[in-house]
Amino acid sequence: MRLLYFYAKFYDMQGHPALYRGFPSWSINFSPQHYFRFLPETGQLSEPESDRIFPQVPDGFWGERIYNATAFVSGNGGGKSTIMQYLLRLLVDLVQNLPSPTQAAEDWVIVFEVDGEIIALQNQSILAKAPCQLLHARCGVTCLCCGNTKNNAKLNHLHRHLRQTKLLYLTNVLSKADAVFQDEWLIREPDRAKRVLFDASPYALMRQEEKECEAGDDILQKFFLREQERMLRFLTSPGHRSLLMQLRKMDYPVSVPQQLTVYVQELAFPEEVLSRGEPELWEQAAFPLSWQNVSATGGDTPALRVEKIIFKLCHGAVAACWRNFDSIDVSGDWFDTLKHLGKAGVSGGAEHQVSGEEFLYFIDMVYELYVREYFAEKKPESAFQTAKRYVEACQDFIRFLCSQRSRERLVKYLPPMDPTDRQMRQLGIQVPAKFIIPLDVALAEEDSEDRSVWFVDFYQHYLNVCGSTPFLTLDWGMSSGEENLLKMFTNLQEVSHPVGQHGSGICNAGKQANDNICSCTTVWLFLDEADLTYHPEWQRQFMAVLTAFLQAVYPPEICREMQIFLSTHSPLMLGDFPGRCVAYLRYKEDGTRYVDDTGRVNTFGENLFTLLHDSFYLKKGEIGELARRKIQDVIDFLAKVQKELDDSKAEGVDKENVCDWLDKYRNEVVELLADGPIKTKLCLDIKRLEDQIIRSSGGRDALIQALEAKLDRLKRGEDLT
């Protein structure tokens, strides 16, 4: 299934031509071989020979199973996201509502290739204005809209292929336009196997977290926690690490983290609980046995350091569980209550170890004494079940932490004691506890034991208990650009092989396509603002990295063919696109926008300097605007003085003042310029003008005398104006 061409024209509610976000219409080709044009005046769709300026792009140019890649290029606010989101909206509408799509307010024509046959669709408003048979004049197109070729079997065939085409939308920005796109235009299909659009924009992912949040949860915190979980699963998968290593061996800028540092942050009870005393006081009161074993014991052995980490984690779990009782009306002297619970708690346990039973008893008693009674009287059953779920998650986490497996793993993952940390502790400065996981070693150990990765299990327990009050920080040791690239990989991979609570994804290999499950044959990737956050060298390599990754993460059993649509500002990225694969979004003289996809600009393999010479990118040169303005000030001043000196009234020129300004420009602008033709030319022009002033003043000595006289007048306080 291939998307070849798309035309749209816009009208207001009364049916008069109107603008859609600055566009009266647009026409875009997405094929590397075909070049269509639609004439709305006649209703004719054709492939004019005169428009075939550049050679066709050969099959397999982008990779074995990538049909084509199209780049939308414009300045800021040029309409790249507008066109991309409009096209997504129409495609989703066609999948969900054929043969009667609902987005019929505009004229549109869309051309597909299905099993080698070119098929055109159009909406009814065009049918009413022009004879439909003209739609496929002069080109071999089957039109499913015209009366003499209406064929339900063929329409059903097209619809089936559309339903088997999955649309992936990724964007690096969070904007109001994304919110409107999500809330007003997209119909969401909860069943991922039947879904056509997989939206990985930040707004869509936050909306997903919002649906799953409990009362009082912080949506943004949940979003970041889930993002970390996706990346963790991706980076701890042996298959995906192997793929990243392959890309790295091909000299692509792909990060493969070798270790993960986990910082354990302090998470105190809510302020209402700590009615008096420091946190350490109620720790002693609530968990006296564990606190005595790990905090009041001398020495600094690895085993004791592990127990201190386990104590902080158990403490964080209990505090997070308490914070998740967000709607509980806390009252009374909680310090005394905690102290009472501590005294009534369990006894015994291993020496110098955290007593998991003590923490379990504490959270169980608090739940029994306060939460159950409160919810039973004042809260609905759903709130009671939510509280119960948090308590059970907290108890599971504590049991997991206090298991022998966790203690053995944490001993292995302890870093050497940092002398700086020890000094900071001696000064009373809080230093977060941490442990470091060597990823390749940890994965190999777990694989040899035929068990799941310990840290993946650990983090899933943590997510279940922390809600939206995190007390762990994961540090992969990556830059923001490296992390952003891996987030894109993670999102693309999760759609094909999802994990966690989201259920099946687009991969339906071996399943029969029917009304309930639509197998995937094609993937269309829409990537908005593809170049954001990347270093220029990464922008230069982006398309090579993306196409290599896509072909690995979507093997033939997942989809047979892919097509890429992306927007970019980067001329470095554009150098990988043949001219006919680029759609420029330009402005007419009246301010309206249009799409230029004629391929008249050579881009493929072009160097950066030549691309920047295209006025589309830089209207006033290839240097920074601040530098350009300062250089222009120097040039304008030199031209002004030269004109005055050449004038018949040159005697009126304040030559001493001009020399001051020339010296100022030389020191404050020209000397700062990089060595090159601009600096050389300005130095010569300033020197030439100074020599001309000296000559016109009767020589250098005369000019010096005039300047000295001016200095004397200044010293006497005379007004030189």
Side-chain angles (χ1 to χ4, degrees):
M1 181 76 174
R2 299 171 176 179
L3 177 60
L4 305 184
Y5 175 76
F6 178 47
Y7 165 86
K9 186 175 181 179
F10 306 100
Y11 299 88
D12 59 21
M13 298 298 293
Q14 288 72 41
H16 304 299
L19 297 179
Y20 178 73
R21 299 183 182 178
F23 290 94
S25 65
W26 60 57
S27 176
I28 310 172
N29 277 275
F30 300 114
S31 171
Q33 289 89 25
H34 301 280
Y35 193 85
F36 294 97
R37 273 289 170 258
F38 177 73
L39 300 177
E41 298 82 6
T42 63
Q44 177 178 319
L45 178 71
S46 62
E47 287 191 80
E49 296 291 335
S50 60
D51 283 342
R52 295 184 179 182
I53 299 172
F54 286 98
Q56 296 182 357
V57 180
D59 290 335
F61 175 85
W62 298 101
E64 182 181 355
R65 290 175 296 106
I66 300 178
Y67 170 62
N68 194 31
T70 302
F72 296 96
V73 186
S74 75
N76 289 323
K80 302 182 298 297
S81 299
T82 293
I83 291 180
M84 192 173 290
Q85 292 180 359
Y86 185 94
L87 183 56
L88 279 167
R89 173 164 60 96
L90 179 60
L91 290 171
V92 172
D93 183 38
L94 291 176
V95 172
Q96 294 174 335
N97 299 306
L98 268 181
S100 301
T102 60
Q103 306 294 341
E106 301 85 16
D107 284 346
W108 53 261
V109 174
I110 190 165
V111 182
F112 302 101
E113 183 178 336
V114 182
D115 294 336
E117 182 180 13
I118 299 177
I119 298 176
L121 285 176
Q122 64 184 22
N123 71 345
Q124 296 300 314
S125 60
I126 290 184
L127 283 174
K129 296 173 185 176
C132 191
Q133 59 268 23
L134 291 177
L135 180 68
H136 42 92
R138 294 178 55 199
C139 64
V141 175
T142 298
C143 174
L144 297 184
C145 301
C146 56
N148 61 346
T149 61
K150 187 171 291 185
N151 187 319
N152 288 333
K154 190 168 291 187
L155 184 62
N156 291 335
H157 179 64
L158 171 65
H159 194 198
R160 183 169 64 255
H161 276 274
L162 277 173
R163 293 174 63 234
Q164 294 173 351
T165 299
K166 303 299 183 179
L167 313 178
L168 313 184
Y169 178 55
L170 281 75
T171 177
N172 287 325
V173 298
L174 177 62
S175 67
K176 180 63 176 177
D178 290 306
V180 173
F181 175 60
Q182 280 283 323
D183 296 336
E184 294 187 6
W185 298 117
L186 295 187
I187 302 173
R188 296 169 184 80
E189 171 57 64
D191 185 345
R192 287 170 64 90
K194 296 168 65 176
R195 191 183 304 174
V196 61
L197 175 65
F198 291 81
D199 189 347
S201 67
Y203 182 82
L205 295 175
M206 288 182 187
R207 284 295 303 272
Q208 180 65 34
E209 296 304 329
E210 182 182 18
K211 293 178 181 178
E212 299 174 3
C213 280
E214 306 290 351
D217 276 351
D218 186 318
I219 297 173
L220 195 59
Q221 287 283 16
K222 296 280 284 188
F223 166 73
F224 288 126
L225 284 168
R226 195 67 64 191
E227 193 174 61
Q228 283 283 3
E229 179 194 13
R230 288 193 294 268
M231 186 173 292
L232 172 67
R233 291 187 180 276
F234 182 81
L235 292 175
T236 55
S237 164
H240 299 143
R241 289 185 67 82
S242 176
L243 170 58
L244 295 179
M245 289 299 299
Q246 291 176 25
L247 294 174
R248 194 168 183 83
K249 288 178 181 178
M250 297 166 68
D251 291 329
Y252 291 137
V254 176
S255 177
V256 188
Q258 297 303 303
Q259 66 180 31
L260 171 63
T261 303
V262 183
Y263 293 94
V264 184
Q265 309 294 333
E266 295 287 348
L267 183 61
F269 273 31
E271 290 297 326
E272 303 84 38
V273 177
L274 302 177
S275 57
R276 55 189 173 89
E278 296 296 326
E280 193 173 271
L281 294 178
W282 71 258
E283 288 177 5
Q284 298 178 47
F287 317 111
L289 177 61
S290 297
W291 188 90
Q292 180 69 26
N293 283 346
V294 302
S295 299
T297 304
D300 193 24
T301 64
L304 186 57
R305 288 170 59 196
V306 165
E307 294 305 318
K308 290 180 178 181
I309 290 176
I310 292 176
F311 184 89
K312 288 183 177 294
L313 290 169
C314 289
H315 157 256
V318 173
C321 183
W322 203 303
R323 287 172 178 266
N324 289 327
F325 299 155
D326 186 72
S327 58
I328 299 177
D329 182 15
V330 180
S331 60
D333 191 340
W334 280 96
F335 186 84
D336 289 341
T337 303
L338 297 175
K339 187 175 181 180
H340 169 74
L341 289 176
K343 286 183 177 180
V346 297
S347 60
E351 186 179 3
H352 305 319
Q353 282 191 354
V354 172
S355 170
E357 293 300 320
E358 187 175 39
F359 282 92
L360 292 173
Y361 172 81
F362 176 87
I363 194 66
D364 190 54
M365 287 299 99
V366 171
Y367 179 72
E368 291 291 337
L369 293 174
Y370 296 95
V371 180
R372 183 186 296 275
E373 179 181 355
Y374 188 87
F375 279 132
E377 291 183 357
K378 299 185 178 181
K379 292 294 180 181
E381 178 67 18
S382 59
F384 169 74
Q385 293 299 331
T386 298
K388 183 179 179 181
R389 186 164 62 251
Y390 276 126
V391 167
E392 291 174 348
C394 181
Q395 292 171 334
D396 288 343
F397 189 38
I398 292 171
R399 293 189 186 98
F400 180 86
L401 291 171
C402 296
S403 67
Q404 187 62 28
R405 181 190 179 200
S406 292
R407 285 190 163 97
E408 291 174 353
R409 290 296 184 269
L410 287 171
V411 167
K412 291 184 178 181
Y413 300 153
L414 275 179
M417 178 59 73
D418 190 335
T420 304
D421 289 352
R422 184 182 289 111
Q423 292 174 2
M424 294 179 67
R425 288 194 180 96
Q426 290 173 353
L427 295 173
I429 301 174
Q430 287 286 345
V431 178
K434 67 180 178 182
F435 54 95
I436 300 176
I437 303 173
L439 293 173
D440 289 330
V441 174
L443 292 173
E445 287 179 351
E446 301 291 355
D447 183 60
S448 64
E449 298 176 9
D450 195 24
R451 302 174 72 174
S452 59
V453 179
W454 173 84
F455 184 73
V456 174
D457 292 344
F458 166 87
Y459 198 72
Q460 187 58 59
H461 280 292
Y462 162 74
L463 288 176
N464 292 339
V465 74
C466 77
S468 59
T469 55
F471 53 94
L472 293 181
T473 300
L474 307 188
D475 182 4
W476 298 98
M478 296 185 294
S479 69
S480 58
E482 291 172 325
E483 192 166 331
N484 198 44
L485 184 64
L486 286 179
K487 285 178 184 176
M488 182 184 73
F489 286 171
T490 300
N491 288 330
L492 289 172
Q493 180 274 333
E494 187 185 359
V495 170
S496 63
H497 296 286
V499 295
Q501 76 281 15
H502 294 306
S504 61
I506 69 171
C507 181
N508 296 296
K511 294 184 179 179
Q512 179 96 18
N514 52 46
D515 290 339
N516 296 318
I517 296 177
C518 298
S519 61
C520 175
T521 61
T522 307
V523 168
W524 291 344
L525 171 62
F526 292 80
L527 184 56
D528 199 8
E529 303 291 0
D531 55 292
L532 286 186
T533 77
Y534 297 135
H535 182 277
E537 175 62 16
W538 286 28
Q539 295 177 17
R540 189 184 68 81
Q541 298 190 58
F542 182 85
M543 284 305 297
V545 176
L546 178 64
T547 52
F549 178 82
L550 285 175
Q551 292 173 94
V553 81
Y554 295 106
E557 59 268 22
I558 292 181
C559 72
R560 294 197 296 266
E561 195 167 61
M562 290 169 278
Q563 199 165 343
I564 303 170
F565 311 84
L566 62 82
S567 67
T568 180
H569 299 100
S570 173
L572 284 164
M573 193 181 296
L574 198 61
D576 271 345
F577 285 82
R580 66 181 299 145
C581 296
V582 180
Y584 289 93
L585 279 56
R586 302 183 184 272
Y587 286 89
K588 296 180 180 179
E589 292 183 359
D590 61 1
T592 59
R593 304 172 187 173
Y594 71 101
V595 178
D596 177 6
D597 66 344
T598 57
R600 289 183 170 85
V601 179
N602 284 307
T603 53
F604 182 66
E606 190 60 89
N607 65 67
L608 175 62
F609 182 80
T610 303
L611 286 173
L612 289 176
H613 254 305
D614 179 5
S615 61
F616 175 81
Y617 273 105
L618 299 176
K619 298 180 180 179
K620 296 185 178 180
E622 292 82 35
I623 61 176
E625 180 63 12
L626 180 61
R628 187 195 69 80
R629 288 176 180 269
K630 289 186 177 293
I631 292 171
Q632 191 63 50
D633 287 343
V634 178
I635 294 173
D636 291 344
F637 179 77
L638 295 177
K640 173 177 173 292
V641 173
Q642 186 64 61
K643 181 179 179 181
E644 291 176 349
L645 290 175
D646 294 342
D647 191 77
S648 58
K649 299 179 180 179
E651 294 77 9
V653 176
D654 186 348
K655 298 175 183 178
E656 296 87 349
N657 188 53
V658 169
C659 288
D660 290 342
W661 274 100
L662 291 175
D663 195 53
K664 177 181 175 67
Y665 279 130
R666 179 190 288 112
N667 294 329
E668 297 182 4
V669 178
V670 179
E671 287 299 323
L672 298 178
L673 293 175
D675 292 337
I678 295 178
K679 182 175 183 177
T680 301
K681 181 66 166 59
L682 290 178
C683 286
L684 291 174
D685 287 348
I686 290 175
K687 181 65 169 60
R688 177 185 53 77
L689 198 56
E690 284 179 334
D691 290 343
Q692 184 176 350
I693 291 174
I694 291 171
R695 289 194 302 271
S696 65
S697 302
R700 187 176 300 277
D701 292 339
L703 180 59
I704 292 174
Q705 291 176 3
L707 291 173
E708 288 177 342
K710 183 177 180 180
L711 180 60
D712 289 338
R713 293 198 302 274
L714 285 171
K715 289 179 179 180
R716 292 195 299 269
E718 296 180 13
D719 187 2
L720 300 181
T721 58

